Amino acid sequence: MRSLLYTIGSLLILLLSHDGGFTGAADAEHTFRATDIHTHRHRRNHGHRRGEEFEYSALSCRAYSASLDEFGAVGDGVTSNTAAFRDAVSQLSHFADYGGSLLFVPAGRWLTGSFNLTSHFTLFLHRDAVLLASQEESDYEVIEPLPSYGRGRDTDGGRFISLLFGSNLTDVVITGENGTIDGQGEPWWGKFKRGELKYTRPYLIEIMHSDGIQISNLTFLNSPSWHIHPVYSSNIVIQDLTILAPVTVPNTDGINPDSCTNTRIEDCYIVSGDDCIAVKSGWDQYGINYGMPTKQLLIRRLTCISPDSAVIALGSEMSGGIEDVRAEDIIAINSESGIRIKTAIGRGGYVKDVYVRGMTMQTMKYVFWMTGSYGSHPDEHYDPNALPVIQNINYQDMVAENVTMPAQLAGITGDQFTGICISNVTITLSKKPKKVLWNCTDVSGYTSGVTPEPCQLLPEKQPGTVVPCNFPESSIPIDEVKLQRCYSRRRLM
């Protein structure tokens, strides 16, 4: 790939000479190639084949695009393309202030190590494109632990950088035609199980300290650990994803919004060996000190299979706080629990103002699960007086079949979980249910129209009448965000 020498002067020439009236919006996208700056005027006079146009939806459209194979990449599944991805993003980053850029990944199997994203940038995968994550540790830089965690999740100290990584970015889109990002995680799982890793395993995507993130229309497979991890970020849209990992492999969480504000997750299908969605905000004293909650989170039209974990988990790392979480139209199949709140003495923080409704569950161990003794800590310096606040938790309009135990609700002695509302819920038991169907300690609230009969700590509010929980009527800002219709062109080979 010939180096692109972008200068302000050449950019201005390119913009001014665009023969269609350059808009940089959804009307069209200029297909940028390595030689465009030098040959653009020649093409105006002689014409050129621009390739097949395709349409996609995004937070922002792009003025310029290039194809990965123009940077020397080889999609044979064997050749390393790390340098090509890094070069492509670096070169296209020069267009950040001129309408942004799109990197098109054509059909092929593109082996790569970690690479960083840039602002005002779209990574677009063809339907037959597969990004294969390198299995070599040397392809992943070791970076510092997150400040709200104080250490890596797998080990003390640092962590391997994610396959796709970005920090302090604005307007980043990762999308496609249901192309695939395959973490090839099996060697990592084995090393972790055998205790052979010095650092925490990489995720497939981590974007931090950023604003305006879209991840959509893709399939993710077999991450070494978590699949998608936005952290310390805001205004996030995650939609139309398929995430698949073996149900026997722990820590392969699907989507983990962490200390994020204004996030929308919708129309996702997740099969995982851990939580399908895990909402987080930091770990013990590190999360308390960092003090950045996850709030204004919307989850809807999620389908989850997770035999050993939760469909939606809140915590256990919730020390910065979790609030205003809204989930609706959820399908759970063969999962350990529907909604689980995980916390412990030493966590501090809070989980409050949680609203879940319209949930259908089939073959579950628990429907409702709250745990006040989820005991892992980053180190021995946590504060045993830092007690979490769990309040205003609302579950409504749910049906569950083949359930072993409707609820396991355990607060903390001297620190009750309060304001629990469960309304209009019908649970059908499995052939061999637990003898105690509702096990409740250190919790308070009420129920209405719930079968089988709940525990005494959650009494019927008005017998004979279904009293709904108090759900907010106003929307959160991210729900008002609409994607634009964008166009680009595939390069003709």
Side-chain angles (χ1 to χ4, degrees):
M1 177 64 195
R2 291 187 293 274
S3 175
L4 303 182
L5 303 177
Y6 298 130
T7 65
I8 298 297
S10 61
L11 285 168
L12 289 174
I13 290 172
L14 186 59
L15 292 172
L16 292 172
S17 62
H18 186 70
D19 56 348
F22 174 74
T23 64
D27 301 304
E29 287 189 359
H30 174 68
T31 304
F32 175 76
R33 306 203 200 340
T35 56
D36 267 4
I37 287 178
H38 305 290
T39 64
H40 186 80
R41 288 181 175 176
H42 177 79
R43 285 178 174 172
R44 286 190 67 199
N45 294 328
H46 295 85
H48 62 283
R49 297 175 70 193
R50 300 187 65 185
E52 176 190 353
E53 185 175 78
F54 64 91
E55 177 183 326
Y56 65 99
S57 297
L59 292 171
S60 300
C61 302
R62 307 303 182 200
Y64 298 95
S65 63
S67 181
L68 179 66
D69 53 356
E70 298 176 65
F71 296 83
V74 179
D76 61 4
V78 177
T79 303
S80 174
N81 296 292
T82 307
F85 273 107
R86 291 176 178 176
D87 186 32
V89 176
S90 176
Q91 302 290 3
L92 291 171
S93 69
H94 293 275
F95 288 107
D97 295 331
Y98 300 92
S101 58
L102 179 148
L103 178 61
F104 177 77
V105 182
R109 294 172 64 79
W110 309 93
L111 179 67
T112 181
S114 173
F115 62 93
N116 290 350
L117 305 173
T118 189
S119 292
H120 307 293
F121 174 78
T122 296
L123 180 67
F124 188 97
L125 273 64
H126 181 276
R127 67 176 64 87
D128 295 320
V130 181
L131 262 61
L132 294 172
S134 170
Q135 296 173 322
E136 300 296 328
E137 292 184 22
S138 59
D139 281 328
Y140 300 85
E141 177 188 355
V142 176
I143 59 177
E144 292 294 316
L146 292 169
S148 59
Y149 284 73
R151 52 159 286 174
R153 291 296 292 114
D154 294 343
T155 66
D156 292 334
R159 58 203 185 99
F160 289 109
I161 196 169
S162 296
L163 179 67
L164 308 185
F165 181 80
S167 183
N168 295 294
L169 302 180
T170 301
D171 180 21
V172 180
V173 177
I174 305 169
T175 189
E177 302 168 310
N178 202 31
T180 300
I181 300 178
D182 187 347
Q184 300 198 106
E186 187 171 1
W188 297 95
W189 305 332
K191 290 178 182 179
F192 173 70
K193 186 176 181 179
R194 295 188 297 270
E196 297 174 357
L197 291 173
K198 295 181 179 179
Y199 307 105
T200 292
R201 290 164 288 168
Y203 309 142
L204 288 190
I205 295 178
E206 181 175 77
I207 300 177
M208 55 193 296
H209 302 297
S210 297
D211 181 72
I213 300 166
Q214 175 188 335
I215 305 171
S216 64
N217 296 93
L218 294 168
T219 295
F220 293 85
L221 306 176
N222 303 322
S223 178
S225 186
W226 302 349
H227 284 79
I228 297 172
H229 184 224
V231 58
Y232 315 141
S233 295
S234 58
N235 300 312
I236 303 161
V237 174
I238 299 173
Q239 66 181 41
D240 296 305
L241 300 184
T242 299
I243 301 175
L244 306 175
V247 296
T248 56
V249 178
N251 310 125
T252 52
D253 302 32
I255 304 168
N256 289 6
D258 193 343
S259 294
C260 289
T261 298
N262 212 28
T263 302
R264 185 173 85 211
I265 302 171
E266 58 188 0
D267 299 303
C268 293
Y269 177 86
I270 304 174
V271 180
S272 175
D274 216 298
D275 303 321
C276 286
I277 295 178
V279 185
K280 300 178 181 292
S281 67
W283 201 3
D284 285 7
Q285 72 271 26
Y286 301 103
I288 294 171
N289 292 336
Y290 200 79
M292 182 177 286
T294 289
K295 59 184 180 180
Q296 295 178 325
L297 170 62
L298 174 62
I299 303 168
R300 64 184 169 209
R301 297 186 300 276
L302 165 71
T303 298
C304 168
I305 299 174
S306 181
D308 293 321
S309 289
V311 177
I312 300 173
L314 307 175
S316 76
E317 304 91 341
M318 38 62 68
S319 301
I322 296 172
E323 63 179 301
D324 196 3
V325 176
R326 310 180 190 189
E328 58 186 12
D329 300 330
I330 310 296
I331 297 175
I333 304 168
N334 189 24
S335 296
E336 184 176 41
S337 60
I339 308 296
R340 186 178 184 188
I341 296 176
K342 301 185 284 188
T343 187
I345 293 172
R347 287 289 191 270
Y350 53 84
V351 177
K352 64 181 182 180
D353 304 335
V354 175
Y355 309 94
V356 184
R357 63 183 170 189
M359 193 165 183
T360 302
M361 293 163 273
Q362 176 69 44
T363 309
M364 308 291 294
K365 183 176 181 180
Y366 307 109
V367 175
F368 309 113
W369 195 3
M370 299 183 184
T371 307
S373 58
Y374 202 88
S376 62
H377 300 283
D379 53 45
E380 69 277 10
H381 301 299
Y382 70 93
D383 180 3
N385 296 314
L387 300 179
V389 174
I390 312 299
Q391 65 182 26
N392 193 25
I393 311 298
N394 301 273
Y395 304 132
Q396 181 175 298
D397 303 336
M398 299 181 177
V399 175
E401 297 180 349
N402 195 25
V403 174
T404 303
M405 185 176 185
Q408 178 76 268
L409 308 176
I412 298 172
T413 301
D415 182 34
Q416 275 196 1
F417 297 176
T418 63
I420 298 169
C421 172
I422 304 175
S423 175
N424 191 31
V425 175
T426 300
I427 299 171
T428 303
L429 300 175
S430 64
K431 293 181 179 179
K432 296 182 178 180
K434 293 286 187 180
K435 292 182 179 180
V436 177
L437 299 181
W438 291 72
N439 188 12
C440 307
T441 57
D442 298 299
V443 298
S444 65
Y446 71 89
T447 56
S448 183
V450 177
T451 58
E453 184 179 353
C455 57
Q456 293 183 354
L457 294 180
L458 299 175
E460 183 84 5
K461 187 169 187 179
Q462 293 182 16
T465 302
V466 177
V467 180
C469 303
N470 293 319
F471 278 68
E473 296 181 0
S474 61
S475 62
I476 59 178
I478 195 64
D479 202 23
E480 304 302 319
V481 172
K482 307 300 181 185
L483 302 185
Q484 301 181 51
R485 179 177 296 176
C486 304
Y487 300 90
S488 188
R489 287 179 174 84
R490 296 184 179 90
R491 177 175 177 266
L492 288 176
M493 301 299 291

